[in-house]
Amino acid sequence: MNSPTRRRVTEDKSWVLAPLLELPHVVHAAVISGDGFIEGASPGLSREAAEGVAAMMSALQGAGRAVTAAFTEQDDARLRQTVIESDEGFVFAIPAGENTCLAVFADPEVNMGVVAHHMQIQVTTLGKKVMNSPARDLGSQA
């Protein structure tokens, strides 16, 4: 019996998480692609947990857009933020560029406004870094 192939957890965008992980009561953070793959995760988050977070966050973001579109009767509804509150704490998710989401998990004592503000700063930083990266050399055409 073959086990399913897992996509490797990449750390290429994990740098954007460091300032968020320094905030009081923030436990984990991740950069997630719209198709449910991890593009960066906090060091303490296991691979299995990160993959589960990515899959569920992708589904949650899609459901959030669909519910908003249904309520507003506008097919082009865009999410700004998704927040989940549980006995264990809060999950915050915001769009972080084309087909990407930034997600944070924090203890119940967290200052929600501070986390949301710093997430926006990091999304802006991520966007600037991606936009200022040199284009990849795809080779010359012969």
Side-chain angles (χ1 to χ4, degrees), residues 35-95:
D35 54 357
F37 292 105
I38 290 290
E39 294 183 357
S42 54
L45 192 62
S46 73
R47 177 178 168 174
E48 292 77 19
E51 290 174 352
V53 166
M56 291 299 104
M57 191 54 63
S58 177
L60 180 63
Q61 293 290 294
R65 284 189 297 274
V67 166
T68 302
F71 270 128
T72 63
E73 297 182 8
Q74 296 179 14
D75 291 335
D76 61 348
R78 295 177 60 195
L79 296 182
R80 290 188 187 175
Q81 179 177 319
T82 304
V83 179
I84 301 169
E85 181 179 7
S86 73
D87 290 342
E88 304 303 316
F90 294 92
V91 176
F92 303 87
I94 61 172

